[in-house]
Amino acid sequence: MPSIRSIPVPIRRPRAVAGALAALAAGALVAVSLAGCGLAGPTPVSTVGKVDFETPLAIPPLAESTVDADGTRVFSLEARSGTTEFTPGAPSDTWGFNGSYLGPTLVAKRGEHVRVDVANSLEVPTTVHWHGMHLPAEMDGGPHQMVDPDATWSPEWDIDQQAATLWYHPHPHGETESHVARGLAGMFLIQDDAEQALPLPRDYGVDDVPVIVQDAGFSGDGVRDGSQRGFAGALGDELLVNGTRGPYLDVSDEVVRLRLLNASTARSYAFTWSDGRPVELIATDGGLLEASVELDHVMLSPGERAEVLVRPTPGERLVLRSEMTAEAAGMIGSIAAMNGGTDSFDVLELRAADSLDPSPEMPQRLAELPPVDDGEIAATRKFTLDGFQINGDEMEMSRIDETVTVGTTERWVIENTSRMPHSFHVHDVQFRIASIDGAPPPPHLAGWKDTIFAAPETEFELILRFEDYADPDTPYMYHCHLLWHEDQGMMGQFAVVEPGSSATMTEGTTDHEH
């Protein structure tokens, strides 16, 4: 991707009181005790009405690919270091794939066999994880598939899941937050015949637009610098969209599809429209919902995706905002405030043409979702989130925490027992939410997911089907996707094996019923 140039955005907020890190290292209990004193995180931020939208939104290029004689679609990604001018004349040190910041958008169809040749031109090892992808464990790009400097890794797999907005990013153990924050991320779009048969917007970058949202801190002269920390992790006081500071998007169609990706390392967003119109949600992490859902906001924690439709009127200027509240975050006010849960941002301005091209009528029915049937559950597993641990343990690379039998369906019960924010991401499979605190999920959470915001003092029941890809030698991950938490060890490993088999790595103590 070429260097991104944009104008400075004249917004600066006071920095928080120092001394947070000692409290954070002591864990959630200390953070809670300090919350009322304002000592455990950044001060609240609002950029609403303060952003000069004067820079065209950068659109990540579509990744080039070739097709081998055997039909394999081949992509190439190179992790590089470089500089990016988020502000003209003020270069910031950044990393990117095939450019200085972020990476190209990969597109493949269901049924294709793909290979991605990943070259590492950085001075440190890294990985590329295919977030949301169903694929063999040895191709997953987790911490067991490190790519050394000047080395190349070429994972290949069959695309075998429905159309969805996925993404890719590094996953080195203990270093994920810094690698992603420096700019290593990009989208991976899956297409299928069912989705393509629908009259949805699909002209990439025109009426079907990637919106990669990240928070960042900037110095007074426009160079990207460090961010303050809450318990959730590093929280910047400005936003970048597709690497653009203060972005606007010209639109000329009656219906526009935005593919929202929260690529921030710690911050959650509650996306809404500046004029109060409903947000029209059509898809979540793993693909289309049965029907569109109108919401007053769409909340995305780090790693989550959503596809929304917007219907501009001729000549209008409409701002996409994030307006987080303690209620939306499920946190008490003081804890929400120190973890970005009361912050508001102007994200992106849409500028509608005076005359809009007509769009076909959107379908009432988008997809057929099977019922969340837990009638044949092979195992129930409980995962308790507290502090920086899952089930009281920290990540150990040589330990398998859970062993799953291929061809079975399981119930995973995720409970955040603390008053602090967490999330939960599972590699390999898309899951369905069966219940939240014993109640059925609302319609906007009833589709396919791979990441959830694990609200404080809340229990989520997930149903997961492990269809294939048994491998006793190589594990998948489950973890909190607040990336600082992941780096602190809030992660575990599971292996998928044939019936009656065991993982070859040491299996840890499990807490599940058969």
Side-chain angles (χ1 to χ4, degrees):
M1 181 182 297
S3 179
I4 299 167
R5 297 183 62 87
S6 59
I7 63 141
V9 183
I11 45 177
R12 299 301 302 160
R13 264 81 45 199
R15 295 296 188 182
V17 178
L21 290 181
L24 296 174
L29 182 60
V30 173
V32 170
S33 69
L34 294 178
C37 303
L39 298 177
T43 54
V45 172
S46 176
T47 70
V48 172
K50 302 176 183 178
V51 177
D52 294 330
F53 293 108
E54 296 186 9
T55 308
L57 176 69
I59 303 297
L62 291 172
E64 297 181 356
S65 65
T66 60
V67 178
D68 282 356
D70 64 359
T72 299
R73 182 170 298 280
V74 182
F75 300 93
S76 295
L77 292 176
E78 181 187 10
R80 307 173 184 170
S81 61
T83 60
T84 302
E85 292 187 5
F86 300 104
T87 304
S92 298
D93 292 333
T94 56
W95 291 356
F97 291 106
N98 298 1
S100 67
Y101 194 74
L102 297 180
T105 298
L106 280 62
V107 181
K109 290 186 176 182
R110 186 171 195 170
E112 285 191 303
H113 188 77
V114 302
R115 188 180 83 234
V116 185
D117 295 329
V118 178
N120 182 10
S121 295
L122 303 172
E123 295 181 352
V124 297
T126 191
T127 72
V128 182
H129 167 55
W130 318 104
H131 185 123
M133 192 74 72
H134 176 52
L135 76 178
E138 62 181 351
M139 309 299 176
D140 185 51
H144 292 280
Q145 290 92 43
M146 298 297 293
V147 186
D148 289 328
D150 299 322
T152 300
W153 176 55
S154 295
E156 56 182 292
W157 68 94
D158 294 326
I159 302 293
D160 187 19
Q161 61 196 100
Q162 66 183 24
T165 299
L166 311 182
W167 68 302
Y168 59 93
H169 64 81
H171 208 302
H173 184 40
E175 300 289 339
T176 298
E177 181 190 46
S178 65
H179 285 218
V180 174
R182 292 182 183 190
L184 290 177
M187 280 192 175
F188 198 135
L189 308 183
I190 295 178
Q191 301 173 340
D192 67 15
D193 291 341
E195 188 272 341
Q196 293 210 302
L198 299 173
L200 293 171
R202 61 183 73 259
D203 188 355
Y204 179 80
V206 179
D207 65 359
D208 185 359
V209 182
V211 179
I212 303 173
V213 181
Q214 300 166 295
D215 57 339
F218 287 90
S219 66
D221 59 3
V223 175
R224 199 177 65 165
D225 62 10
S227 301
Q228 295 294 297
R229 279 192 186 276
F231 174 81
L235 298 168
D237 55 9
E238 295 186 29
L239 296 188
L240 297 171
V241 183
N242 298 351
T244 310
R245 201 175 175 200
Y248 71 86
L249 175 68
D250 288 322
V251 295
S252 58
D253 294 273
E254 289 181 339
V255 180
V256 177
R257 179 186 196 174
L258 301 181
R259 297 178 185 259
L260 304 175
L261 161 61
N262 182 354
S264 298
T265 63
R267 183 180 291 283
S268 293
Y269 301 97
F271 293 107
T272 188
W273 294 111
S274 56
D275 65 353
R277 74 182 65 184
V279 181
E280 187 176 349
L281 178 71
I282 63 169
T284 51
D285 300 339
L288 292 170
L289 298 171
E290 287 188 329
S292 64
V293 179
E294 291 191 347
L295 303 165
D296 59 7
H297 70 270
V298 171
M299 182 174 170
L300 297 182
S301 64
E304 289 186 286
R305 289 88 64 209
E307 297 179 30
V308 302
L309 299 181
V310 59
R311 304 166 191 269
T313 58
E316 79 169 330
R317 292 194 176 189
L318 178 65
V319 175
L320 178 67
R321 287 180 175 160
S322 172
E323 298 181 350
M324 280 296 294
T325 64
E327 180 181 10
M331 291 181 271
I332 65 173
S334 57
I335 296 178
M338 72 183 187
N339 289 288
T342 59
D343 294 347
S344 299
F345 294 91
D346 278 350
V347 181
L348 169 68
E349 183 180 71
L350 301 186
R351 299 181 179 180
D354 291 335
S355 177
L356 299 176
D357 295 334
S359 297
E361 183 177 352
M362 293 298 104
Q364 295 294 313
R365 198 73 173 175
L366 297 171
E368 296 294 329
L369 297 181
V372 183
D373 184 4
D374 59 359
E376 298 183 4
I377 297 297
T380 295
R381 305 178 193 270
K382 181 70 177 287
F383 300 87
T384 299
L385 314 181
D386 190 19
F388 298 134
Q389 297 181 329
I390 300 178
N391 290 342
D393 290 326
E394 295 180 357
M395 168 70 172
E396 172 52 59
M397 288 279 286
S398 63
R399 184 187 71 228
I400 295 294
D401 299 281
E402 308 287 342
T403 300
V404 174
T405 300
V406 71
T408 63
T409 300
E410 296 198 350
R411 177 192 294 110
W412 288 18
V413 180
I414 316 302
E415 184 179 10
N416 180 355
T417 58
S418 74
R419 302 169 75 185
M420 308 303 288
H422 288 297
S423 69
F424 196 79
H425 169 53
V426 184
H427 290 208
D428 178 43
V429 296
Q430 295 287 332
F431 54 73
R432 302 282 296 283
I433 301 174
S435 68
I436 303 174
D437 278 343
H444 66 281
L445 293 176
W448 294 106
K449 296 281 293 172
D450 55 57
T451 308
I452 57 169
F453 175 70
E457 299 178 317
T458 303
E459 182 180 274
F460 296 79
E461 181 184 351
L462 313 181
I463 304 299
L464 310 88
R465 175 74 182 174
F466 298 92
E467 293 282 359
D468 43 23
Y469 299 137
D471 183 348
D473 302 322
T474 311
Y476 296 103
M477 308 291 128
Y478 56 83
H479 57 88
C480 181
H481 214 279
L482 306 183
L483 297 184
W484 189 51
H485 294 195
E486 174 188 326
D487 287 345
Q488 299 305 304
M490 200 169 188
M491 180 161 61
Q493 303 189 116
F494 71 96
V496 179
V497 302
E498 296 289 349
S501 299
S502 300
T504 56
M505 296 168 66
T506 302
E507 183 177 4
T509 302
T510 59
D511 178 18
H512 57 83
E513 304 167 358
H514 293 278

